Amino acid sequence: MTERIYLDHAATTPIRPEASAAMQEGFAIWANPSSPHAEGRKAKQALEDARARVKKALGWDGEVIFTSGASEAAAIAVGQVQAGRKAVSEIEHDAVFLNGPGSYDAVLPAQSDGSFDRSDIYQAVGAVGMDPAERDWRTLVCIQQVNSETGAQLQFAKAQRILANFDVLTLSDCSQSASKLELPDADMVIVSAHKLGGPIGIGALLVRDYALLHPTGGHERGYRRGTENLPAAMGFAAALEASDWQTSAAQRAAFYDGFGDARLKFTDQVDFIGAITHPTLSAQALLIRLDAMGIAVSAGSACSSGTLKKSRVLDAFGVDDAVAARTIRVSLGWNTTPQELERFAEAWVSLT
């Protein structure tokens, strides 16, 4: 039988062998890193080594708080930030956007090209018609680096130049981009290990300075509760260090270019996530047909209670309802091969 093709890496990607091996080493260091005895100190040393390796691999010179994943990192960042006002872009992942009732004071609309309007930014930070010097509050602004449904790169740097006039903190969800792109110059960054070949169940919140957060007591310098997952932290570090892919950037770009106008276009987009629209078949039909052909992808629309609903992200990007209903997401990973890309392209042509 022909092996199945997995092209849903934006959801989760297979663990790299280097990460799996590192976790096995971690399982042998079984003590609690917070324990004061020799075994605990050995575990603590391994944990701090993993933390230093994560910082180095990501080029981060601030602090690293290990979490159980991106969702917990977002909860810590949004829930514990030292800010009087909070704003979020409308195309954030649910882990950030739906961070509990009343989490945000404003939602920042995104333009179809992934940029943000200056007047909308002023509105989000609560400074319409006000001199920035007159404001006496700090605003947290959440803008992801790469959209997980479309592969669009958000115009973070342009928004930051506008935000520079105000007292703001920036949070960027880099779950899809960490290890693949240079991190944005944000005050806090969300990273997820299982999106880059590390284990499920661990992530990190990168913080410029612990003083940006309210401490809660417990572990991770008092900013997170729960015993640290040492084996996963070691696997996380190893996955970041093993950054090789089986396809080149040119091969991935050519793959998506081959779909022409069928791919949703943005000013800047990555070469590992793409939203592709079929001329006639619904997303649900495409998923079923492709799965039967041995290919795993995901829908650009969310299926809820038996009814296909338009993705709020595609809606925010201004994608037409009829187009959204026929759109799927095809996302590549470190172990995707050129042959698999060819097989998908052939399968796509056969769908009528």
Side-chain angles (χ1 to χ4, degrees), residues 278 280-292 297-309 324-328:
H278 194 274
T280 58
L281 296 177
S282 70
Q284 193 172 35
L286 289 167
L287 293 187
I288 294 171
R289 293 275 296 276
L290 287 168
D291 192 47
V297 295
S298 60
S301 299
C303 188
S304 176
S305 303
T307 302
L308 199 63
K309 295 182 178 180
R326 294 181 279 107
T327 299
I328 62 171

Side-chain angles (χ1 to χ4, degrees), residues 254-269:
F255 167 71
Y256 285 117
D257 287 344
F259 295 97
D261 292 338
R263 184 187 186 187
L264 297 185
K265 298 296 194 302
F266 300 91
T267 302
D268 293 309
Q269 51 199 100

Side-chain angles (χ1 to χ4, degrees), residues 8-91:
D8 194 20
H9 293 268
T12 193
T13 198
I15 190 168
R16 289 179 178 269
E18 298 90 343
S20 182
M23 290 185 72
Q24 291 301 319
E25 294 179 25
F27 288 132
I29 310 173
W30 43 263
N32 189 322
S34 296
S35 298
H37 45 60
E39 290 80 2
R41 294 196 301 275
K42 181 178 180 181
K44 181 71 170 180
Q45 182 178 11
L47 180 70
E48 294 310 314
D49 176 69
R51 195 188 312 276
R53 290 164 59 197
V54 167
K55 290 174 62 173
K56 181 178 179 180
L58 292 173
W60 183 255
D61 59 4
E63 309 294 347
V64 172
I65 299 173
F66 283 125
T67 66
S68 61
S71 295
E72 187 189 11
I76 292 173
V78 177
Q80 297 174 215
V81 67
Q82 301 263 19
R85 183 178 174 85
K86 302 169 188 176
V88 62
S89 84
E90 63 180 343
I91 55 175

Side-chain angles (χ1 to χ4, degrees), residues 218-267:
H219 300 278
E220 291 298 282
R221 274 64 167 184
Y223 292 91
R224 188 239 178 190
R225 294 182 177 131
T227 301
E228 294 95 341
N229 187 342
L230 172 59
M234 293 174 66
F236 187 6
L240 282 168
E241 292 166 344
S243 58
D244 58 302
W245 284 48
Q246 293 194 42
T247 54
S248 66
Q251 288 172 320
R252 296 191 293 273
F255 167 71
Y256 285 117
D257 287 344
F259 295 97
D261 292 338
R263 184 187 186 187
L264 297 185
K265 298 296 194 302
F266 300 91
T267 302

